[in-house]
Amino acid sequence: MKIGFIGLGIMGKPMAGHLKEAGHEIIVPERKSLGADERGAFTVVPDSKSVAAAAEVIILMVPDTPDVEAVLFGAEGVAAGLSKGKLVIDMSSISPTATKGFAERINALGCDYLDAPVSGGEVGAKQASLTIMVGGPEAAFERARPLFDKMGKNVTLVGPNGAGQTTKVANQIIVALTIEAVGEALVFASKAGADPAKVRQALMGGLATSRILELHGERMIKRTFNPGFRIVLHQKDLNLALQSAKELGVALPNTASTQQLFSASVAAGNGGLDHSGLVKALETLAAHPVVADPKS
């Protein structure tokens, strides 16, 4: 197939690469940031409109709701290059409410729309083991399923447009609060004089075990905070959670407190760290690091 892919970031580039390896032609818009390897592997066209005109399926993987809107409906955007029967798949993590509106506008052009945000981070993108949560019509989902299977392992059609984004928001609540809990536990253990590495090892054998304790707990101990998934993006996702909760009249007290820790992290200049770097905000509050940073 001819697949347009817009957003070759930390996760988008390996995702597009898996589709290329599966034999599909990948069409991308011109960007100054494109390296020689990307220009060699992908077909480069002037803009998003040209991507949509040349491709059968157009995939977006960009940071936030305004970015998706600009790519879709801005000057020389995807919508301007669409013709009937094409499929637009937004794999970004954005507002469920906005997603429903975007889908309606794309449907009005005679095209299908799927919201298909992912979980699994850079590792999942590189290993093609992402969890993909999809909202949209079943026929469009079945059409896209072979592509999803090249990028992920747990692929679920959750419901109509917006349901995929709602699921991703729920995922981000769980991930954020678990990172915060692991951070609190390791700060507590370290302050009490226990070896945090051995505490983590012991906890991995009990009910407290989780992928976050395994992966991000190790990051907190080894001080490897290169992203991954950046704090500033998780901050954005919790903003979506709290905004959606306000619209629904739902209280999310622990989400709100964790969002404050993300905001403190950004204010301290740590927004570019992996979201496991949230532990630094907890360390500041305790005046005690889990483990001293190597540079200190």
Side-chain angles (χ1 to χ4, degrees):
M1 294 178 67
K2 292 180 181 290
I3 301 172
F5 205 107
I6 301 172
L8 298 177
I10 288 175
M11 296 181 65
K13 183 178 178 180
M15 291 163 67
H18 293 311
L19 295 174
K20 172 71 175 179
E21 290 166 5
H24 302 292
E25 179 183 358
I26 307 301
I27 304 163
V28 303
E30 176 61 58
R31 296 285 188 272
K32 291 181 180 179
S33 59
L34 291 177
D37 57 338
E38 294 156 334
R39 293 182 185 277
F42 307 141
T43 301
V44 182
V45 297
D47 48 41
S48 297
K49 176 182 176 181
S50 302
V51 170
E56 304 162 63
V57 176
I58 302 93
I59 297 174
L60 281 62
M61 188 64 177
V62 297
D64 204 350
T65 306
D67 302 300
V68 173
E69 185 170 21
V71 168
L72 289 176
F73 306 112
E76 307 303 318
V78 167
L82 290 175
S83 53
K84 288 185 178 180
K86 296 193 175 187
L87 172 60
V88 176
I89 306 173
D90 178 29
M91 302 189 77
S92 319
S93 296
I94 69 167
S95 163
T97 303
T99 290
K100 294 174 185 178
F102 296 162
E104 290 173 359
R105 293 171 70 178
I106 295 299
N107 292 159
L109 299 174
C111 300
D112 285 322
Y113 190 95
L114 295 173
D115 50 292
V118 304
S119 179
E122 182 183 11
V123 172
K126 288 182 174 179
Q127 296 179 350
S129 61
L130 293 168
T131 291
I132 306 177
M133 315 154 220
V134 189
E138 186 170 358
F141 172 74
E142 292 301 329
R143 179 180 173 188
R145 183 65 191 258
L147 305 181
F148 292 146
D149 286 341
K150 296 301 179 183
M151 297 182 282
K153 296 202 176 297
N154 181 18
V155 182
T156 306
L157 177 62
V158 182
N161 284 127
Q165 296 295 353
T166 296
T167 305
K168 179 58 187 290
V169 169
N171 178 85
Q172 295 303 80
I173 292 171
I174 293 171
V175 171
L177 270 59
T178 308
I179 288 174
E180 195 278 339
V182 169
E184 278 197 19
L186 293 180
V187 168
F188 164 77
S190 178
K191 181 74 172 181
D195 181 339
K198 291 183 178 179
V199 169
R200 172 184 165 277
Q201 181 180 350
L203 294 177
M204 288 291 294
L207 189 59
T209 191
S210 69
R211 286 286 286 167
I212 288 171
L213 177 62
E214 177 187 357
L215 299 176
H216 292 323
E218 183 177 48
R219 281 177 173 268
M220 293 173 191
I221 292 164
K222 292 188 175 180
R223 315 309 280 178
T224 50
F225 297 123
N226 52 304
F229 187 73
R230 297 192 301 275
I231 283 174
V232 70
L233 293 179
H234 211 145
Q235 179 194 38
K236 177 264 298 183
D237 289 343
L238 291 196
N239 278 335
L240 292 175
L242 294 171
Q243 176 187 342
S244 298
K246 183 177 180 180
E247 294 169 359
L248 295 168
V250 174
L252 301 178
N254 291 329
T255 302
S257 62
T258 303
Q259 173 67 325
Q260 291 298 310
L261 292 170
F262 276 128
S263 296
S265 299
V266 172
N270 292 328
L273 299 182
D274 183 80
H275 53 174
S276 58
L278 179 70
V279 72
K280 284 179 166 287
L282 295 167
E283 291 170 341
T284 298
L285 292 173
H288 181 87
V290 171
V291 176
D293 285 320
K295 63 183 178 180
S296 62

